[in-house]
């Protein structure tokens, strides 16, 4: 049964609408290269593509494509500085992802609490 036809998955989409907003963030962060770019931007401030590709074997074109995926997810943004295009981390969307993880963790805590209470009876 596919997720589209599974009633429990469709019900989860309605019950947890915040999940839909978090999907692009987690999808973007699911790639090792993009996660590495986020880590670089978190520590180095706004960086050019040349700076992001130095000391790596990744082409500028590949980094540009990865940055666009991150930008589409709202995790980075570009800044024009003269003729140069710099990229910087946008923490707001990552904070949304953290709230999603916190909500999932709270649900697990509640489920484990119910299981513990049932086992103790």
């Amino acid at each position: 049964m596919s997720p589209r036809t599974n009633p429990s998955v469709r019900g989860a989409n309605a019950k947890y609408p915040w999940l839909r907003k978090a999907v692009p963030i987690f999808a973007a962060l699911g790639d090792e290269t993009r996660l590495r770019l986020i880590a670089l931007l978190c520590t180095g401030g706004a960086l050019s593509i040349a700076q992001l590709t130095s000391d790596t074997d990744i082409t500028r074109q590949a980094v540009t494509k990865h940055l666009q995926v991150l930008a589409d997810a709202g995790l980075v943004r570009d800044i024009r500085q003269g003729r140069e295009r710099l990229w910087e981390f946008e923490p707001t969307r990552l904070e949304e992802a953290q709230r999603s993880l916190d909500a999932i963790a709270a649900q697990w805590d509640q489920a484990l609490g119910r299981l513990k209470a049932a086992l103790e009876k």
Side-chain angles (χ1 to χ4, degrees):
M1 186 177 290
S2 79
R4 289 187 181 138
T5 58
N6 185 332
S8 64
V9 171
R10 283 196 319 265
N13 288 339
K15 190 174 180 182
Y16 309 111
W18 47 266
L19 280 176
R20 181 161 281 155
K21 287 176 52 178
V23 168
I25 300 166
F26 290 113
L29 294 174
D31 180 87
E32 183 180 347
T33 300
R34 291 191 287 268
L35 196 55
R36 190 175 304 129
L37 289 170
I38 289 291
L40 283 169
L41 291 170
C42 285
T43 60
L47 299 171
S48 69
I49 291 177
Q51 291 169 312
L52 291 168
T53 57
S54 69
D55 299 328
T56 69
D57 57 352
I58 302 171
T59 66
R60 290 180 185 198
Q61 183 179 8
V63 168
T64 300
K65 288 181 181 184
H66 284 294
L67 287 169
Q68 191 56 57
V69 171
L70 291 168
D72 291 346
L75 293 166
V76 299
R77 65 184 172 133
D78 65 323
I79 304 165
R80 295 273 181 200
Q81 195 172 62
R83 292 178 51 199
E84 196 167 37
R85 187 175 177 187
L86 301 177
W87 291 87
E88 72 178 0
F89 175 63
E90 181 58 52
T92 306
R93 292 287 285 162
L94 199 56
E95 291 164 1
E96 286 179 31
Q98 180 62 51
R99 285 191 295 276
S100 297
L101 291 174
D102 291 343
I104 292 168
Q107 290 172 341
W108 271 102
D109 289 343
Q110 291 169 3
L112 290 172
R114 288 190 303 271
L115 177 61
K116 180 181 177 185
L119 291 174
E120 289 176 348
K121 285 185 179 180

